[in-house]
Amino acid sequence: MKSLKLRVPGKLFLLGEYAILEPGSQALLLSFQRYLQAEIAPAEQFWLQTDLLPGAVNGFGYEQGQIVWQTPEARPSEKLNFVGEALQWAFAYLESLERRPRPFRLQLHSDLHSSGAKLGLGSSAAVTVAVLAAVLAFHGEAFESHEARLKLFKLATLAHSGSQRGSQGGGSGADLAAVIFGSVTCYRRYDASWLKPGSVSLNKLLEVNWPLLGIEKLPWPADLGLKVGWTGLPAATLDFLEEISYLKEKDPEGWMRFLFSANAATAAARSALIEGQNAPLLQAVGQYRHLLQELQMEFLSPIETPALVALSDSAEALGLAAKSSGAGGGDCGLALGDPALVDSVSERWRSQGVEPLELALDFQGLCLEEG
Ligand code: PMV
Ligand code: MG
């Protein structure tokens, strides 16, 4: 068995964040040519090496369904929770196929971080998918077909929500879909209420249709400019998920109103992409910015931080459509419109402390090569 290399792109929400937490809602996501890379090769025992923890090489074993780290200090820190969970679920999947994991050395290298800080390009989703795909590919699984990717998505969802906070309360899974499928991913949130790992075999759980789940690839217009800006401030999505739980309880009607408008804007943008109409797409982006501004009124800390306000206001002043991306509170925002105007936004952003990132769209998603 030779070594295998793979890469998983970073991602951003174009539209649909927050609403996508509700089953049946839709979101549009973009992935970018900035990658989390993995290399996996046969070894005498299990090794993990990653620049997510500088210099660390961690040996581990797999005993009675559990990953056991060789030395206590080698136990992944919080940052590496995602790696541990993904390894655990990859091994559980192999076991459900009655296959014994063969020892390997897994190396992870991230370009989704800048000097150790996450850029807000979905690094936790990329890590989860990279670890699962590497271990499974090492044991002979292929990921070319839509069906195989869908199965990987389901496994990634279980692993990712395990490292967040249980299968019901974690993220929407949109980030996982985006990094597996590439630009442009239209994702429809599954209904997690029936999903009880342990009630059926893992293999079966990955085979069955998940209610409401939908993943569709859409085209991207060649004549549309897009620029991503980084606020330099990493944001914790989990804090914002708590805000949403609170809001849903306190003001269920307000949440419902948000959902209706948010899904209408996302549906309009989806149609615009399919029909190659830029104007309604840009309009939907502007609308979504307003919806997020309304939503954040009840939040303790805003979705649109001062840097994100500056990012969107200066882009709008140029005649572009702009918004924060994802949970907000920092991380990134994006601006879209006439390519000539998009180029001139960088200067304005820099003067306001927003760093323009040179990012091209990735249309492939997860990509494997044999080493
Ligand atoms: O900031 P991000 O990229 O982690 O996006 C979070 C988006 C939410 O809709 C708020 C949560 C989710 O899991 O979709
Ligand atoms: Mg974020």
Side-chain angles (χ1 to χ4, degrees):
M1 167 81 207
K2 287 186 278 183
S3 76
L4 278 164
K5 282 186 188 161
L6 61 82
R7 59 166 208 236
V8 182
K11 74 96 206 15
L12 284 177
F13 272 85
L14 175 61
L15 282 186
E17 54 272 78
Y18 287 103
I20 198 62
L21 291 164
E22 203 69 25
S25 284
Q26 297 190 31
L28 297 169
L29 294 108
L30 301 171
S31 35
F32 294 94
Q33 293 181 23
R34 175 129 5 164
Y35 298 102
L36 191 295
Q37 278 141 349
E39 182 165 4
I40 188 163
E44 294 290 306
Q45 68 152 97
F46 294 111
W47 289 106
L48 168 72
Q49 183 173 7
T50 164
D51 60 0
L52 298 169
L53 261 190
V57 181
N58 300 337
F60 64 92
Y62 185 62
E63 290 159 26
Q64 291 165 354
Q66 292 296 320
I67 301 288
V68 183
W69 298 94
Q70 229 159 47
T71 51
E73 61 274 18
R75 232 184 93 74
S77 66
E78 211 177 303
K79 209 170 180 182
L80 281 192
N81 254 348
F82 298 111
V83 180
E85 283 292 333
L87 286 170
Q88 186 88 28
W89 282 92
F91 286 11
Y93 171 70
L94 291 172
E95 269 187 351
S96 79
L97 299 175
E98 298 184 355
R99 299 182 49 191
R100 217 183 132 75
R102 285 182 294 111
F104 53 75
R105 183 185 192 92
L106 174 63
Q107 282 172 279
L108 300 174
H109 168 75
S110 173
D111 286 327
L112 302 179
H113 293 79
S114 172
S115 321
K118 75 174 181 105
L119 289 165
L121 294 175
S123 52
S124 70
V127 167
T128 301
V129 168
V131 171
L132 287 172
V135 175
L136 268 47
F138 182 73
H139 292 87
E141 298 261 325
F143 298 108
E144 271 108 62
S145 70
H146 185 86
E147 285 65 35
R149 283 175 187 244
L150 198 57
K151 208 162 141 183
L152 177 66
F153 162 79
K154 291 174 182 167
L155 189 59
T157 300
L158 298 170
H160 202 239
S161 50
S163 51
Q164 288 185 328
R165 52 156 78 158
S167 58
Q168 314 279 321
S172 64
D175 46 359
L176 298 163
V179 305
I180 293 173
F181 288 88
S183 300
V184 178
T185 299
C186 180
Y187 172 73
R188 191 173 60 217
R189 172 75 204 261
Y190 60 92
D191 179 2
S193 60
W194 68 280
L195 192 66
K196 295 183 183 63
S199 57
V200 288
S201 78
L202 178 55
N203 196 19
K204 177 95 182 124
L205 196 62
L206 302 181
E207 292 288 336
V208 295
N209 285 332
W210 287 16
L212 296 175
L213 172 63
I215 296 175
E216 178 188 37
K217 286 261 308 217
L218 300 179
W220 182 254
D223 59 349
L224 186 66
L226 167 72
K227 190 62 112 197
V228 175
W230 183 45
T231 61
L233 192 76
T237 301
L238 282 183
D239 296 345
F240 287 88
L241 295 184
E242 263 162 37
E243 297 276 8
I244 289 295
S245 308
Y246 179 73
L247 181 82
K248 277 167 81 167
E249 213 163 284
K250 198 178 145 236
D251 182 13
E253 282 169 21
W255 172 245
M256 208 48 82
R257 273 197 305 278
F258 167 76
L259 284 179
F260 271 111
S261 307
N263 275 295
T266 304
R270 175 181 169 274
S271 302
L273 284 173
I274 291 169
E275 288 157 18
Q277 301 281 347
N278 292 350
L281 174 64
L282 298 180
Q283 201 186 341
V285 170
Q287 272 169 1
Y288 214 95
R289 181 183 180 204
H290 287 300
L291 292 172
L292 291 174
Q293 285 172 330
E294 277 169 28
L295 185 71
Q296 74 180 3
M297 288 204 277
E298 300 290 331
F299 283 22
L300 287 176
S301 50
I303 295 174
E304 272 199 356
T305 57
L308 287 168
V309 172
L311 179 152
S312 292
D313 282 352
S314 55
E316 284 181 358
L318 280 171
L320 300 167
K323 64 184 274 297
S324 55
S325 172
D331 289 341
C332 296
L334 35 81
L336 299 103
D338 183 327
L341 297 177
V342 164
D343 278 343
S344 57
V345 84
S346 298
E347 195 110 334
R348 296 202 182 188
W349 280 356
R350 271 192 213 99
S351 70
Q352 286 165 312
V354 173
E355 190 182 324
L357 299 180
E358 289 311 317
L359 290 174
L361 290 175
D362 164 285
F363 296 102
Q364 280 183 296
L366 164 68
C367 182
L368 259 84
E369 55 187 83
E370 246 175 79

